[in-house]
Amino acid sequence: MNNAVSLACAFALATLSAPAFASEAQGHQGFVRVELGNTDFETSIHGGGPTVTEDSDTRGFGGGYWFNANFGVEGNYIHLYDRDLRGGAELEVYSIGAGLVAKKNFGADGNGFYLGGRAGIAYVDEQGSGDDGSVQPYYGVNLGYDFNRNVGLGLNYTHYHGEFSFVDIDADVLSVSGEYRF
């Protein structure tokens, strides 16, 4: 859990200090994002056990700062997996991450269609079979449409990986996001 707290503190400091390093030129904006989608969740047991693949609903939110029209930093929370287990227990897997984002708009004035990417470090944690987590890289791509300087809609693919005591997980998330920039 200390890794999650450290990661959250690092993100908060990066987000709060970003405006101090950025000029007041047009294009510098904070943002908040909401994501809803589906996770293709694959579990591999250490020592050659069976691989299990399941789908799970995904939801998440994040925020950050665009230093210019093309590059920024983000922090995010993504709820990757949620299942009821035998005996009334519940297994949940989530990710808390911080990373870099980039995008290229193809419309006039920085609006219209865009292609983008994201990469960073995420603390992937599971709760239910014992609180166990790991810090791993995440990466993804997205495409979308910015309606104006403040509002955009995107389609995202992001890959997360987690290593726990007896199992590894790979989570491929396909989501739709709404972003508001201020």
Side-chain angles (χ1 to χ4, degrees):
M1 190 64 176
N2 288 336
N3 289 337
V5 172
S6 298
L7 192 60
C9 289
F11 166 70
L13 287 174
T15 301
L16 294 174
S17 65
F21 295 107
S23 71
E24 293 300 319
Q26 183 175 351
H28 296 271
Q29 297 176 283
F31 69 88
V32 292
R33 180 184 303 130
V34 174
E35 296 184 38
L36 298 171
N38 188 277
T39 300
D40 181 28
F41 194 81
E42 183 177 289
T43 307
S44 304
I45 298 173
H46 293 180
T51 298
V52 177
T53 303
E54 295 184 74
D55 286 338
S56 180
D57 291 337
T58 300
R59 59 199 176 277
F61 61 91
Y65 191 81
W66 287 103
F67 294 109
N68 58 41
N70 302 109
F71 297 101
V73 294
E74 74 169 351
N76 55 53
Y77 169 88
I78 304 291
H79 190 266
L80 298 169
Y81 183 80
D82 189 356
R83 285 289 184 260
D84 292 329
L85 304 174
R86 292 182 198 171
E90 184 177 17
L91 175 63
E92 294 184 70
V93 179
Y94 65 89
S95 168
I96 299 172
L100 302 174
V101 290
K103 73 176 178 177
K104 171 64 176 146
N105 282 84
F106 295 101
D109 299 329
N111 295 320
F113 288 100
Y114 68 83
L115 292 175
R118 67 194 325 185
I121 299 294
Y123 176 73
V124 179
D125 192 24
E126 63 89 13
Q127 294 181 338
S129 64
D131 197 11
D132 193 9
S134 68
V135 176
Q136 301 289 327
Y138 72 90
Y139 56 87
V141 295
N142 55 20
L143 60 97
Y145 190 85
D146 284 334
F147 296 99
N148 57 44
R149 175 176 159 78
N150 300 101
V151 178
L153 187 65
L155 178 64
N156 315 289
Y157 164 80
T158 309
H159 177 80
Y160 297 91
H161 179 75
E163 296 179 1
F164 305 113
S165 300
F166 300 104
V167 67
D168 289 347
I169 62 107
D170 285 302
D172 294 316
V173 178
L174 186 61
S175 64
V176 174
S177 64
E179 183 173 288
Y180 178 74
R181 296 174 290 276
F182 50 91

